Amino acid sequence: MIAVEHLTKCYGDFIAVSDLSFEIDEGHVYGFLGPNGAGKSTTMNIMTGCLSATEGHVRINGYDIFEEPKQAKRKIGYLPEQPPLYMNETPAEYLKFVGEAKGLKGLELKKQIEDVAGQTKIDHVMDRLISNLSKGYRQRVGIAQALLGSPQVIILDEPTVGLDPIQIIEIRDLIRQLGEDHTVILSSHILSEVQAICEKVLIISQGKLVAFDKPENLEKLLLASNGITFTAEASKEEIDAILPEISRITEWDVKTQEDGLTAVSVRTGSENVKEISRELFFAFADKKKAILEMSSKKANLEDVFIELTEGDDRAVSDSLEESGVDVE
Amino acid sequence: MIAVLKHELSGYFHSLTAYIFSAFLLAFVGIGALIYNIQSAVANFEYVLGYVCLGFVVIIPILTMRVIAEERKQKTDQLLYSLPIRTSQIVVGKYLALLVVYLVPLCIVALYPLIFAQFGEVYLLTSYGSLLAFFVMGAAMIAVGTFISSLTENQGFAAGIAIPVILLNYYSVTLAEYVSATASGSAAALIVIAVLLGLLIRHLTKNQNLAYGISFLIMLAVAVLFFTDSSKFEGLLPDIMTKLSLFERFYTFVNGVFDLTALIYYATVIIFFLFLSVQSLEKRRYN
């Protein structure tokens, strides 16, 4: 479907994207993940023909975006980071222009505009000026524009940035729907978002691809750091006495809380977490010490992401915190 | 291209641009006709056009300042890049829309000689010949304005550059009388032009070697020619300035000569600046 081969983009001396290669198959929702300035937008701009590459190729269904731009661009609908809208027009006028530019005519044009307006739920604002629409609706008009001409691939650059929580949920639902009959590629620096809607994730850092897998598989990468946390009705000394009885536990942290309870976090290694939880339960039950709360700690994409990018540069994870990755 | 043309036209006629432009143009021509044809009872409508063409200094920038600069500012240029149309189609579509906006008031102006003809003898051939030249000259300036608009994302800046450029062009013949006509003066001016050309190429292509190479070659050619036969440079600079004047060629028509070479000259200017506009837009992809 889309093949990106050895893509490199330099701005003077600055390398924005360096030797990026990946392939995207039909009919999935792909997430493009990376901190701000990782090269997500640059890559997307190159894939859609808005920017030239210093080196490398992008092929859409076999058509090279630089050599056969017309055929290649027909397969793609693109929503840039800032929706490219003409503020002094209505969505109806705007979509008519985009449709015509994509080669649609007459009845077909009318039908497609109606379809995409229905799909993005903008049919009731079609005759209002875009400058008077809310940010969420502008984003929808932008997505509607990308859907015109029924392209196989929809590329959305940070589609939920700057929207309120309800709008975010609505746009996410819309993207999920689109994923049913299009290939959708979206970029984001919010991990939970990608985890929620994407079937496959590309993690990009400093212009390089650092991981490309399903979110579940990426989590498996970090199983080794799994652990169990529990709160028990026991003193620190009592816990330190009980835990060595369970042979598979080697390391633990104990924190006494103000209410007389003790919070413990146990590192387990890659073994069966359930089994160890059971042993813990009975070990404490034998001593008549109650465990009030117990949960197994699973690595999430955030950990994967930090783990994968940490080696490169400390600044990456710093900028990650700044950009508010940890939203949930 | 048709889509861009239609879209631009609806934009112009939905906003005030087309109306302000038409109002200005009609006001200039109207005042000119009032003074020359009605007040002074002169039958030559072409003189009015010759007098009014100074108005281009104001009305062309009004028309062209937003044409590409606005796209950049609104970031809608990204949409244009991602659509399955070529950059040249975008530029030509936009340019044709400007020409249509320009043509509408001229159609009204075209009635004036006919009206005057009702009341006396009017030289219709020279009137309409001049009107055609007036249109083509304006078209050439619109191409220049389009290029200037493609260089920036600030409309005001685009207008601010276009006004002095057109004004300088208007006065270049007058100025030509004051510049040095000596061989060394002309050679020095050519070298300055070579440097400016090199800077322009560097700005457009970001290719330093190409820019400096062309610049250097021109300078070398100038130097060689200067030292072999400096008499060729006598009066060259004023000559070039006169030749570059878009207005000077238009006056030939006003004086009753239908000069085909001038039309070809205007067409060349249009193609050249549209080509530059396309390059300027393309450059954004290669920044």
Side-chain angles (χ1 to χ4, degrees), chain A residues 89-161:
Chain A
E89 287 176 10
T90 63
E93 291 167 334
Y94 174 70
L95 293 177
K96 186 166 167 268
F97 162 60
V98 176
E100 282 177 351
K102 288 186 177 182
L104 301 173
K105 277 187 208 103
L107 275 179
E108 172 70 12
L109 175 67
K110 227 179 139 191
K111 190 181 161 293
Q112 283 222 11
I113 290 178
E114 270 170 27
D115 286 353
V116 299
Q119 227 173 334
T120 52
K121 300 200 183 77
I122 52 168
D123 18 22
H124 59 287
V125 296
M126 286 299 267
D127 294 319
R128 272 204 248 164
L129 280 184
I130 292 177
S131 57
N132 296 337
L133 294 181
S134 71
K135 215 166 171 185
Y137 272 106
R138 288 184 195 178
Q139 200 75 16
R140 283 157 185 269
V141 177
I143 295 177
Q145 162 273 121
L147 290 175
L148 278 176
S150 34
Q152 286 148 300
V153 189
I154 313 278
I155 299 183
L156 309 167
D157 196 355
E158 309 219 344
T160 57
V161 159

Side-chain angles (χ1 to χ4, degrees), chain B residues 109-272:
Chain B
V109 169
L111 297 175
Y112 295 1
L114 286 179
I115 296 171
F116 295 147
Q118 305 296 313
F119 305 99
E121 199 177 328
V122 175
Y123 306 108
L124 286 179
L125 273 180
T126 46
S127 292
Y128 283 108
S130 301
L131 195 61
L132 174 72
F134 188 78
F135 171 69
V136 180
M137 173 173 68
M141 280 182 210
I142 290 173
V144 176
T146 305
F147 169 62
I148 292 171
S149 178
S150 76
L151 294 175
T152 169
E153 61 177 50
N154 186 331
Q155 292 188 30
F157 189 70
I161 298 287
I163 289 174
V165 164
I166 297 175
L167 202 61
L168 206 66
N169 194 280
Y170 182 80
Y171 282 115
S172 72
V173 177
T174 323
L175 285 174
E177 290 169 21
Y178 296 99
V179 296
S180 161
T182 61
S184 50
S186 299
L190 280 179
I191 287 182
V192 171
I193 291 172
V195 171
L196 290 178
L197 190 69
L199 288 175
L200 183 70
I201 293 173
R202 198 184 73 168
H203 179 72
L204 286 179
T205 62
K206 294 273 164 185
N207 187 336
Q208 300 213 349
N209 293 338
L210 180 74
Y212 295 142
I214 288 179
S215 205
F216 180 73
L217 278 180
I218 295 175
M219 282 191 225
L220 196 71
V222 169
V224 168
L225 271 176
F226 183 73
F227 287 114
T228 49
D229 184 9
S230 67
S231 67
K232 281 216 171 102
F233 285 86
E234 296 281 348
L236 187 63
L237 181 60
D239 212 31
I240 290 176
M241 286 178 71
T242 316
K243 286 246 161 63
L244 281 181
S245 170
L246 292 163
F247 291 93
E248 194 59 20
R249 287 166 200 266
F250 169 62
Y251 294 135
T252 324
F253 287 88
V254 174
N255 293 330
V257 180
F258 194 89
D259 184 3
L260 209 58
T261 55
L263 292 184
I264 293 168
Y265 171 76
Y266 287 134
T268 317
V269 170
I270 292 169
I271 292 167
F272 179 67

Side-chain angles (χ1 to χ4, degrees), chain A residues 145-206:
Chain A
Q145 162 273 121
L147 290 175
L148 278 176
S150 34
Q152 286 148 300
V153 189
I154 313 278
I155 299 183
L156 309 167
D157 196 355
E158 309 219 344
T160 57
V161 159
L163 302 182
D164 69 37
I166 295 169
Q167 290 171 331
I168 290 181
I169 291 168
E170 286 172 352
I171 296 278
R172 279 185 195 170
D173 285 340
L174 175 60
I175 293 170
R176 235 178 257 128
Q177 272 174 35
L178 293 179
E180 285 164 18
D181 35 41
H182 297 88
T183 305
V184 181
I185 306 173
L186 67 99
S187 77
S188 177
H189 59 255
I190 300 166
L191 293 138
S192 54
E193 174 168 286
V194 170
Q195 217 166 1
I197 39 182
C198 297
E199 292 152 60
K200 274 194 160 186
V201 183
L202 293 101
I203 298 181
I204 178 169
S205 169
Q206 298 185 327

